[in-house]
Amino acid sequence: MNTTEKVIFEQFPYWEKAIGANTSVEGAELLVFVGCGTSYNLALSLAAYANMSGRKAIAVPGAEWQSRPSAFWPDWQATHVIALSRSGETTETVAAAKESRKAGAFVTAITVEAESSLARNCDRLVTSETHPQEGIVMTVSASLMVLLGMQAIGQPIPGSIGASARKLANALDAVLPTIIADRSHFVFLGGGPLFGVALEGALKLMEMSQTMTQAFHPLEYRHGPISLVDEKTAVVMLYSSDQKEAEVKLVEELREKGAAVIGIGGPGDVGLPIDVDLSLTGLLVLPALQILGERVAQARQIDTVSPRHLTKVVKLA
Ligand code: F1P
């Protein structure tokens, strides 16, 4: 077992420690979730969850918010920016936090690095301990930042979530060898708060295994991308509770066209049940998606401890 795999399976005690921290964010201003890479994907999911719980929120990539915030929100100086960054050192995210504060916005930082530049340049720090052996590919810290972000928008996290997430990751792991054999085109589908999670599944698998991946809102997939589906395609369908019937129909069509479908929370070539409601699904599925990336990398004999062209932090000169 390499360190990446070890860390994925050892993440749950860190979840337990982070659960219950009083981090809730008050106020009625627009919440702007900002981040880069994985952290941006998480921002998208958290913004959707915030809107579903009655807040107002958008998600913006760090560099976009730093250089053209008015393209996203006209009254951008009066927002509450929630900047996500594992390292707390990503140039664009730190710059976005600094610029926002300079303009009068309140900045909350969600990071696992309490001594970082982002932590020093925020009005409120939300942090937790992470696995010390996590490498370049972000796994446990991504889960932790979603957990902390959910708590920040007032979503209580049950203590049992880690056990449920571990069960799902193990169940997926057990069926993966048959599903991923001979598949080279991976598609992740998820709607609402699960779109950011689908993007994260796609990014994770791409980073870890150097495979072309895609992510879409489920019903967008028929509008062009479906032309690529064949016997080389594997689809991860992250079922939602509010659109499930339509998603089931789509999965039937994709299977007829040759795709192997992993249904998380619904049917597929393998269908894995989930035992939490949509408000927690985005967190629950992350370890399963991380192990999928690791297994595809192993099948291609790629070492995820040193992924090609990647560094733990992107710092621009
Ligand atoms: C963001 C990030 C990662 C990505 C890569 C470079 O880091 O883009 O998502 O996997 O390793 O950095 P951070 O701002 O969350 O530290």
Side-chain angles (χ1 to χ4, degrees):
M1 187 187 290
N2 73 7
T3 314
T4 313
E5 183 179 344
K6 177 173 178 295
V7 167
I8 292 170
F9 284 114
E10 286 180 357
Q11 67 183 288
F12 305 104
Y14 296 91
W15 291 30
E16 271 161 37
K17 286 186 208 169
I19 290 174
N22 180 17
T23 56
S24 99
V25 160
E26 309 299 332
E29 324 93 310
L30 180 80
L31 301 177
V32 183
F33 290 88
V34 168
C36 297
T38 287
S39 295
Y40 171 60
N41 295 336
L42 310 182
L44 276 170
S45 186
L46 288 170
Y49 275 126
N51 288 314
M52 287 165 67
S53 68
R55 309 291 290 262
K56 288 177 288 179
I58 57 172
V60 185
E64 292 292 308
W65 191 253
Q66 175 202 349
S67 54
R68 54 175 78 92
S70 56
F72 295 88
W73 198 254
D75 189 16
W76 66 274
Q77 299 90 340
T79 58
H80 180 157
V81 173
I82 303 186
L84 296 125
S85 172
R86 162 176 70 170
S87 61
E89 298 295 347
T90 296
T91 303
E92 304 97 299
T93 306
V94 175
K98 284 184 181 168
E99 291 298 319
S100 302
R101 287 182 92 200
K102 217 187 290 169
F106 188 91
V107 174
T108 291
I110 300 184
T111 177
V112 292
E113 293 296 339
E115 305 297 327
S116 59
S117 302
L118 182 61
R120 284 191 296 278
N121 286 284
C122 69
D123 299 293
R124 185 162 188 219
L125 175 64
V126 176
T127 189
S128 75
E129 183 190 347
T130 192
H131 197 300
Q133 286 174 281
E134 185 180 52
I136 293 174
V137 176
M138 207 196 304
T139 55
V140 48
S141 302
S143 311
L144 287 170
M145 289 197 288
V146 169
L147 192 159
L148 294 171
M150 284 178 160
Q151 291 187 150
I153 55 174
Q155 170 67 52
I157 309 289
S160 57
I161 187 89
S164 299
R166 183 203 298 268
K167 195 168 120 196
L168 179 66
N170 282 328
L172 178 62
D173 202 17
V175 296
L176 277 179
T178 48
I179 286 279
I180 62 177
D182 301 324
R183 305 280 163 173
S184 52
H185 170 223
F186 286 81
V187 178
F188 294 76
L189 302 176
L194 301 182
F195 177 60
V197 177
L199 281 171
E200 174 54 11
L203 179 68
K204 201 95 295 168
L205 196 145
M206 178 167 46
E207 287 181 338
M208 291 169 111
S209 67
Q210 294 163 28
T211 305
M212 281 300 295
T213 63
Q214 298 175 292
F216 297 93
H217 295 92
L219 297 199
E220 278 297 292
Y221 198 64
R222 285 195 188 91
H223 297 274
I226 199 165
S227 57
L228 289 182
V229 173
D230 62 19
E231 286 70 24
K232 294 279 175 215
T233 307
V235 173
V236 178
M237 178 74 228
L238 302 171
Y239 282 98
S240 60
S241 43
D242 48 5
Q243 207 184 38
K244 193 163 176 177
E245 213 180 306
E247 292 167 351
V248 170
K249 278 195 191 136
L250 174 65
V251 161
E252 281 164 14
E253 280 174 43
L254 299 179
R255 292 183 65 205
E256 278 162 21
K257 290 176 172 45
V261 178
I262 299 168
I264 300 191
D269 290 79
V270 292
L272 302 172
I274 52 177
D275 59 5
V276 300
D277 138 316
L278 178 61
S279 59
L280 293 167
T281 308
L283 172 60
L284 178 89
V285 301
L286 286 173
L289 299 180
Q290 294 161 4
I291 204 65
L292 168 63
E294 176 60 32
R295 294 297 178 231
V296 175
Q298 286 173 4
R300 304 190 68 192
Q301 297 181 333
I302 289 171
D303 180 12
T304 56
V305 172
S306 42
R308 189 173 73 168
H309 304 329
L310 297 179
T311 51
K312 198 161 180 178
V313 190
V314 175
K315 280 192 186 181
L316 305 179

